[in-house]
Structures are given as C-alpha cells and as structure tokens.
Amino acid sequence: MIDLDRYKEILDTLSRNKTRSFLTGFGVFWGIFMLVSLLGGGKGLRELLSSNFKGFANNSGVLITQNTTKPYDGLKKDRSWSLSYKDIERLKQQIPEVDVVTPLITKWGYTAVYGDQKVSCAFKGLDENYQEIETPELYYGRYLNNLDNLQKRKVCILGKKVYKTLFPKGGNPCGKEIRVGSVFFKVVGVDYNSGTMNANGSTEESVVVPIGVMRDAYAMGDTINMLCFTGKPGIKVSDIVPKVRTVVARAHHLDPTDEKAMPVINVEAMFGMMDSLFKGVDFLAWLVGIGTLLAGAIGVSNIMMVTVKERTTEIGIRRAIGATPKNILMQIITESITLISVAGMSGIVFTVLVLQMAELASTTDGIVSAHYQINFTTAVGAVLFLCALGVLAGLAPALRAMNIKPVDAMRDE
C-alpha cells in the first residue's frame, strides 16, 4: 500500500526550502536532458548522414575509369580506356563471389521538357538490375523492368526535383510524355529517393531510361561509364575488389596494380566508417550524460546530508516515540528518490518535447528525414538508472540519520 502521509511529509520537507530543492533537482534535470538529448540527437544525426547513402546497397561497389598511371604490356602510361558491356559477363563468369553486375551510362547537358516547363537533368541509362544497387523510393508508378530493355520501350523514371519542376501542380504523371533532347519518353514512374550519394548525378535530378534505348538513340556504342556490383551474402566487397581489378585489367591491357586507373567506390567501407563513427558518438553521449547525472546525484546527496543535520532534533524525537532505524532509513532514501525521480522525469518529458520539435523541423512533404526520439527501452533504462541513483544518493544521509540517538538529539537542541 502507498503511504500517502509519508509522501505528504516528503513534499512538505522539500518545499520548506524551495530554492535549494529546485537548484538541487536542476542538476539531475540537466543531466538527464544531456543524456537523452545526446542519444536522441545522435540517432537523428545518424539517420541524416545515413540518408546520404539512402537506397544504396551496403555490400556494393562501383568501378569507374581514369587514365592509367603505370606503363604495361608495351603501352605507355596516361592513356585513356573505357569499360565495355563484355566486362559484365566477365565479372559474372570469373568471380563467383559477385552477385549482381549492372552497367550505367550517363549523358550530361540535356534538358527535360514537358509543355512550357523545362529542367536540366542527369540523363541516365540503366537496366532493371540497378535497383539492387540503389533501391528506388517510388512515389508514382513502377521501375524499369526486363521487357523495357528487351523491347526497347521509350519509357522513363523521373527524379523528385525533375518531377516537381515539370509538373508543378503535382498529380500522377505516369502515361504522359516528356522530351529529352529530340526523343520523347513516356513517364512510368517517379522516384523520390533523396540520397545525396549518387552514381553520375543526383537521383533527384535524374531522368532514367532503359540502357538499350539510350545506347541506340544516342549512338553510345559499346562504352559504359560505370560498372556497379554487389557481393553475395557474407562476402565483403573489399575481398572482391582486387579480383574485379584483375579481371578488368586483363581484358583491357592494364597493370592490375594500377588502382588509380581502376578506382572502386566501396560503399561497404563507407557504411563501416559511419558505424564506427556513431559508436564513438553513442559512447561519448553515455559518458557525458551519465557523468552529469552522477554529478547531480552527488549534489542531491550533499543536500540530503545538510537536511539530515538540520533535522537532527526531529529525527531524535521520531526515535524517541518508537521509530525504528529502518523507518528513518526508508524516510531519507524515499525523499532522495522522490527528488531525483521528479527532476529526472521532468528532464525526460522536456527532452522528448525538444526532440519532437527537431523531428518536425526535419519533415518535408510529410516525410520525416530523421527520427530524433529515443526508444522506449532507453527511456525505461534512464528511469531505472535514476531510481538507482536516488537510492545511492540517499544512502549516506540515511545511514547518518539512522544512527542519531534521542539523547544526542536533545544535546544538539
């Protein structure tokens, strides 16, 4: 049963010196605010940075070409070279660890036109397998499929910014035709992927068409700009990269050790670096938050010691009329837990409100960019930790109060 009289007495005790109780509780309030806000803010920041990789497979790599930096097989350095469609089959056949291999070609300086609206875009040619590399976030319609390439359909996927510029009034654009250069394409989808990491141009500013259509319509021949690949489950991309370079180098008469001529963007390594970074951020958040909470708890303990000294006579009288040491111990510990719990819960509520406002500020078109709120488990853990601190903070003052004897109390008076 809850002893209401005890809590009325605790409230009366804490309210005798409102300023002291407020300042003592504020240390705990600020500690829990620091802990929860750092954890919630770290989570939101992680999501914001992760959005840069949004949609990209975390076990993927992208091979691009640069001029050679080493002579090889009688050929001079600083020569240019290009990837070809045959490289796709070479990688699939010669590297069993590779799962998906897909090409990408891009044309720059093109303008997409619909009616009176026009916008510059990154004009990309892809196949249906590219969605295994960068997952689309379709707002309308569908993505490219195998038949689009086999039947050379003149269809396209619009990026978010391209769609909003060409169709400022909104609505479903699927079935309508836009013009890129001198060729018309029917819109079959709108991709709202907003990741800032991109392959040859931002997804938001892209118009994507079947790679076979782009290859034929713009006479691009056998050259591809990028070769994207993923590793099979359990296979690290860093283990595949040397094999990819060896296969490609052999086919194009390159030095297999010329990494600058065959740079590979290892997305898996980037994800690993980000995870390591935020493990450090989380550790720092816990360190700072718990340190601040402990400082607040020490402050509560010191104030409770002062309170016990001020109430020496009162405690002595309690002992004289029959209060047991356990009663005195529980009284002081309960006061400490109450002060810390009220201050801590107030800190949690305030922090949740602040994090909610931060979350609302990061919302665009009804889509939340980052979730700053802590999870329920963390909140419960913080409450339990506060209760433990309350017990520890009140223990020393309670033991001192428990040892006060009635005779000593009268002598003190």
Side-chain angles (χ1 to χ4, degrees), residues 285-299:
W286 280 105
L287 185 65
V288 173
I290 291 177
T292 309
L293 275 178
L294 288 175
I298 291 171

Side-chain angles (χ1 to χ4, degrees), residues 110-317:
Y110 277 78
T111 300
V113 180
Y114 177 74
D116 296 332
Q117 306 296 326
K118 59 178 64 178
V119 60
S120 297
C121 63
F123 191 35
K124 298 181 180 180
L126 304 173
D127 66 17
E128 68 282 358
N129 292 322
Y130 186 77
Q131 59 188 320
E132 301 296 329
I133 305 294
E134 187 177 4
T135 305
E137 188 177 325
L138 294 173
Y139 195 75
Y140 290 112
R142 63 172 178 84
Y143 198 68
L144 300 179
N145 58 41
N146 188 43
L147 288 177
D148 292 330
N149 267 303
L150 289 177
Q151 298 179 7
K152 302 294 179 68
R153 295 172 178 171
K154 293 182 178 179
V155 295
C156 69
I157 310 290
L158 304 182
K160 181 179 178 180
K161 290 184 178 179
V162 174
Y163 160 70
K164 288 194 169 185
T165 303
L166 295 183
F167 301 90
K169 295 182 180 179
N172 189 347
C174 295
K176 298 178 180 178
E177 289 191 340
I178 67 167
R179 178 172 56 84
V180 180
S182 59
V183 183
F184 285 86
F185 296 91
K186 181 180 290 186
V187 178
V188 294
V190 176
D191 185 1
Y192 258 43
N193 189 335
S194 56
T196 56
M197 180 177 176
N198 54 74
N200 263 17
S202 166
T203 302
E204 291 187 332
E205 299 174 348
S206 298
V207 174
V208 175
V209 301
I211 192 168
V213 174
M214 186 170 180
R215 180 184 180 185
D216 293 343
Y218 298 90
M220 299 192 68
D222 193 45
T223 299
I224 58 178
N225 302 127
M226 290 184 173
L227 206 55
C228 308
F229 60 89
T230 63
K232 290 182 178 178
I235 304 297
K236 293 183 178 180
V237 173
S238 54
D239 295 334
I240 300 176
V241 169
K243 298 180 181 180
V244 169
R245 286 197 175 108
T246 299
V247 171
V248 172
R250 187 186 304 123
H252 295 273
H253 302 287
L254 306 173
D255 188 332
T257 64
D258 193 355
E259 296 183 2
K260 293 183 179 180
M262 299 173 284
V264 176
I265 302 171
N266 189 339
V267 180
E268 183 182 62
M270 294 182 181
F271 272 98
M273 290 173 59
M274 190 175 67
D275 284 341
S276 298
L277 170 65
F278 279 100
K279 283 179 182 177
V281 170
D282 288 343
F283 174 77
L284 182 62
W286 280 105
L287 185 65
V288 173
I290 291 177
T292 309
L293 275 178
L294 288 175
I298 291 171
V300 171
S301 182
N302 289 334
I303 292 301
M304 294 305 296
M305 291 287 283
V306 173
T307 302
V308 167
K309 186 172 180 59
E310 291 177 348
R311 297 164 60 190
T312 300
T313 303
E314 175 193 330
I315 294 170
I317 293 173

Side-chain angles (χ1 to χ4, degrees), residues 308 315-316 319 325 328-329 332 395-405:
V308 167
I315 294 170
R319 292 294 307 278
I328 302 299
L329 181 70
I332 301 302
L395 191 58
L399 290 174
R400 177 175 178 177
M402 187 177 65
N403 292 323
I404 294 176
K405 298 178 180 179

